Amino acid sequence: MSRRTLLASGVLLPALLLLLVLVSLLLGRYPRPPGMSVRLLWEDEMAWELVTNLRLPRICTAVLLGMTLGAGGAVLQMLFRNPLVEPGLLGVSQGAAFGAALSMLLFQGSVVLLPLSAGTFALSGLALSYTLARHLKFGGWVMRLVLAGIVVSALFSSGLGLLKSMADPRRELPELTFWLLGGLWGVSWADVQRMVPIVVPALMIIGLMRWRISILALEEVTAFSLGVAAGRERALLVIAAVAATASVVAVAGLVGWIGLLVPHIARRLLGADARRSLPGSLWLGGIFALGCDNVARSLTAGEIPLGILTSLIGALGFAIILLRGTKVARE
Amino acid sequence: MKNTPPILRLERIAFGYLEDMPVLREISLTLATGALTAILGPNGGGKTTLLHVLLGWLKPRSGALLVNDRSLASFSHRERSRLLGLVPQSEFIPFEFTLLEYVLLGRAPYLGPLEMPGGRDVDEARRALARVGLTSLSERPVTHMSGGERQLAMIARALAQQPAILLLDEPTSHLDLANRRRVRDVLRQLVADGITVVCTTHDPALAADMADALILMRAGEIVAAGPIENTLTSEKLSATYDLPVKARRVEGEWLITS
């Protein structure tokens, strides 16, 4: 492991994220775009209130969201031995969205039931995709997993469509629709408090086990020969990744592409070894989500839904990586 | 462990993926220690299955697998993985690990779930790379390597486990002549270093080229087992492959024709 990449994954990227957080605190439309000065923050009480009660929780949420989706995507890609996997492709996000929508309509978005319902359906989405992929009689493992994920995601999104059509068009439907677009407006410290107890331990488990994740990316019999209790460790990591994803989706709605794009960039920059690519995905995910959310909230007077931005940038970025990737492979 | 190689013994091992379709029928044998044993037989004869039973990956339906008279099933994951290494026939690696990172994964038996490999592990991985002669490629991605190099990389990864017994599934069958020779020389050197090597092959010429002992298998049963002089005979090969095969020794070299 070269010193340069170690420095990047352990020092440079976290420092960059911290810097972006500090800049984001000042960035916004108050008192006028593009933001306030550090002095104003100390002198103007309104500015202080704004930053600590509105911007800071929102920034924390964006960072947690990006870290979770980035690291979660990296974990799922390695465990399923498939670089095309992301929570959105395996029925996890759609499952979480369906579960959250269900609890919104049935229990008016109870703060306890919503993440729970999102988590349950996210995990069952993953289980369904995995089981279906194992039984498909078509294509290799990579192909089958993607196909199964498409099927399961489609099932959940049709269920979601049904829920939408049943929702009260004046009250519930707008709320549901905006939540589904993905965004962080109106995020409060209460939301952060709800995410942290799940997201932080889950990310810690993933971070601590990162070298094992590389072993679990080998074929099953090889991992067995290396003395790894593959079933147990894989289940623990998948549950950690999915639980964290479900709890951020419950707050932020459907924010796509981070989990697919970010691990690819991390591997390009830092190499495949999860000792570096996993922390890399974590930090880059935070940077990417926070950067996008900054644009989402300060580019226009209104607000661009975050999910739309991440999809736009993510899809373009992924296309660029794929185009450049073939060149590298040919060399 | 190098001084007293462990003795692996199978007693009436039976295995089948399905209840009424036995793949291995009541196999009993003792592996020659400190030697290279080839499990030889036609495709579909149960060779890889036997190898996976030896590894502990497949649990026999009946019978016992004993290491120095102790059941392999009673070994912890960690104990087992320090004893037995596996080189699969091929391995699809979806991510661009460098060769050194890949070989380093072989250190897993010595590290807990939350531990990272340290300097000593890197040294051990480099030593394993030197043993297979790939030191110069250690920073190259494994995904970009040739078939022969990948075979040697898998062997190095298994050697980083420092196993007493190394199991290989068809290690040379898809390699060209030069790479075949390279892999054979590496395996012979490992045997000289005191490691017990077991590999499967469907090619009698390959087995004759490198093995000390043979296990001839056909339809889940052992046709013959023992030192190569006693087992590589026209009669036994013909029974294994169910067609006339001639094995002769001409000027110290095996000549096998069918």
Side-chain angles (χ1 to χ4, degrees):
Chain A
M1 188 149 66
S2 85
R3 192 146 285 169
R4 193 172 53 85
T5 51
L6 191 66
L7 201 71
S9 69
V11 180
L12 200 64
L13 289 177
L16 211 63
L17 179 59
L18 190 66
L19 189 72
L20 185 63
V21 167
L22 295 177
V23 171
S24 308
L25 285 172
L26 302 176
L27 199 71
R29 305 185 75 82
Y30 181 86
R32 68 194 71 79
M36 62 179 82
S37 67
V38 181
R39 227 181 64 203
L40 186 75
L41 187 60
W42 296 116
E43 288 168 356
D44 183 348
E45 209 162 297
M46 169 97 168
W48 180 255
E49 286 288 307
L50 173 75
V51 166
T52 54
N53 285 331
L54 291 176
R55 281 193 196 155
L56 200 53
R58 181 171 182 156
I59 288 166
C60 287
T61 307
V63 171
L64 285 178
L65 171 79
M67 282 180 155
T68 299
L69 294 179
V75 168
L76 293 183
Q77 285 178 10
M78 293 200 86
L79 292 191
F80 288 106
R81 302 164 43 70
N82 184 340
L84 290 181
V85 159
E86 63 133 1
L89 269 176
L90 285 176
V92 174
S93 300
Q94 291 292 341
F98 177 80
L102 194 67
S103 84
M104 268 186 198
L105 295 192
L106 291 183
F107 308 105
Q108 280 73 46
S110 146
V111 291
V112 183
L113 286 176
L114 192 132
L116 206 67
S117 167
T120 310
F121 280 97
L123 210 57
S124 57
L126 181 75
L128 225 79
S129 303
Y130 183 76
T131 315
L132 187 61
R134 288 197 75 128
H135 289 92
L136 281 184
K137 307 261 181 291
F138 178 82
W141 177 237
V142 174
M143 169 80 113
R144 282 184 297 167
L145 208 53
V146 172
L147 287 177
I150 290 173
V151 170
V152 173
S153 295
L155 285 178
F156 275 125
S157 58
S158 71
L160 200 58
L162 194 66
L163 289 179
K164 274 192 201 166
S165 72
M166 294 188 318
D168 179 341
R170 276 160 308 171
R171 234 169 12 86
E172 293 162 344
L173 190 58
E175 190 196 349
L176 191 58
T177 307
F178 267 97
W179 177 81
L180 283 176
L181 284 173
L184 299 177
W185 58 87
V187 163
S188 66
W189 281 117
D191 290 308
V192 178
Q193 274 168 16
R194 269 201 296 282
M195 282 192 297
V196 164
I198 293 173
V199 169
V200 171
L203 290 182
M204 275 172 69
I205 290 173
I206 290 170
L208 286 171
M209 287 182 73
R210 63 189 185 276
W211 187 62
R212 293 295 254 215
I213 293 171
S214 292
I215 300 174
L216 294 170
L218 299 176
E219 270 169 36
E220 220 150 319
V221 62
T222 310
F224 175 84
S225 79
L226 291 170
V228 175
R232 240 177 300 156
E233 292 185 19
R234 198 169 275 151
L236 176 67
L237 286 162
V238 166
I239 289 171
V242 170
T245 303
S247 77
V248 296
V249 166
V251 170
L254 281 184
V255 178
W257 285 90
I258 296 178
L260 182 61
L261 177 71
V262 164
H264 276 270
I265 299 177
R267 280 196 296 269
R268 277 290 147 82
L269 291 179
L270 306 167
D273 194 317
R275 280 177 297 166
R276 289 158 311 185
S277 64
L278 200 107
S281 302
L282 189 83
W283 304 123
L284 278 173
I287 292 170
F288 184 69
L290 183 54
C292 283
D293 189 50
N294 283 342
V295 175
R297 72 180 164 87
S298 45
L299 192 66
T300 61
E303 163 122 14
I304 309 167
L306 178 60
I308 293 176
L309 265 181
T310 59
S311 298
L312 180 70
I313 300 172
L316 290 176
F318 194 62
I320 291 170
I321 283 193
L322 287 183
L323 289 172
R324 294 191 50 191
T326 48
K327 219 193 237 162
V328 174
R330 263 189 226 124
E331 271 165 11
Chain B
M1 262 199 209
K2 265 176 193 164
N3 304 331
T4 51
I7 298 162
L8 203 61
R9 205 168 80 233
L10 284 77
E11 280 178 358
R12 301 167 65 86
I13 291 274
F15 178 83
Y17 296 94
L18 300 169
E19 189 78 56
D20 49 353
M21 282 179 67
V23 180
L24 302 176
R25 303 162 194 262
E26 304 250 324
I27 285 184
S28 298
L29 61 91
T30 302
L31 275 185
T33 55
L36 198 160
T37 301
I39 303 172
L40 178 66
N43 294 327
K47 301 186 300 289
T48 300
T49 304
L50 179 59
L51 201 74
H52 285 165
V53 167
L54 288 175
L55 180 70
W57 169 245
L58 298 176
K59 307 274 173 285
R61 286 189 174 254
S62 63
L65 179 57
L66 303 167
V67 182
N68 289 345
D69 293 326
R70 180 183 157 200
S71 167
L72 184 70
S74 73
F75 279 60
S76 70
H77 281 299
R78 190 176 270 215
E79 280 178 303
R80 173 182 43 74
S81 57
R82 289 176 184 188
L83 179 75
L84 291 156
L86 173 75
V87 177
Q89 183 166 7
S90 65
E91 182 164 73
F92 169 61
I93 304 162
F95 302 100
E96 294 185 348
F97 293 110
T98 68
L99 179 58
L100 184 62
E101 287 165 352
Y102 177 70
V103 172
L104 203 51
L105 298 180
R107 296 302 294 164
Y110 300 89
L111 297 163
L114 304 184
E115 276 182 278
M116 303 281 148
R120 281 186 54 196
D121 299 302
V122 175
D123 289 345
E124 203 54 57
R126 286 194 191 282
R127 205 165 306 143
L129 275 176
R131 280 173 104 171
V132 301
L134 289 186
T135 301
S136 59
L137 301 182
S138 60
E139 296 306 322
R140 282 256 307 274
V142 240
T143 39
H144 295 195
M145 291 184 172
S146 71
E149 287 163 350
R150 282 178 85 145
Q151 192 67 41
L152 291 166
M154 289 195 290
I155 294 174
R157 193 208 62 228
L159 286 178
Q161 276 172 267
Q162 299 176 290
I165 302 167
L166 187 63
L167 308 171
L168 303 99
D169 196 5
E170 301 275 359
T172 57
S173 49
H174 57 281
L175 299 182
D176 63 34
L177 269 176
N179 278 307
R180 219 175 257 189
R181 163 154 269 169
R182 234 171 132 186
V183 170
R184 182 200 66 184
D185 291 347
V186 166
L187 294 183
R188 288 306 322 176
Q189 184 56 47
L190 297 181
V191 173
D193 294 343
I195 296 179
T196 298
V197 178
V198 181
C199 67
T200 62
T201 178
H202 59 260
D203 185 345
L206 277 178
D209 190 33
M210 60 184 186
D212 302 306
L214 293 184
I215 299 168
L216 295 174
M217 277 190 80
R218 177 169 177 267
E221 281 174 301
I222 293 184
V223 179
I228 198 156
E229 304 80 36
N230 305 339
T231 44
L232 201 69
T233 63
S234 304
E235 178 203 355
K236 283 170 181 160
L237 283 178
S238 303
T240 306
Y241 286 91
D242 211 7
L243 82 172
V245 183
K246 264 191 206 152
R248 282 168 298 161
R249 215 156 176 170
V250 183
E251 292 169 8
E253 297 284 331
W254 285 101
L255 195 66
I256 290 150
T257 48
S258 66

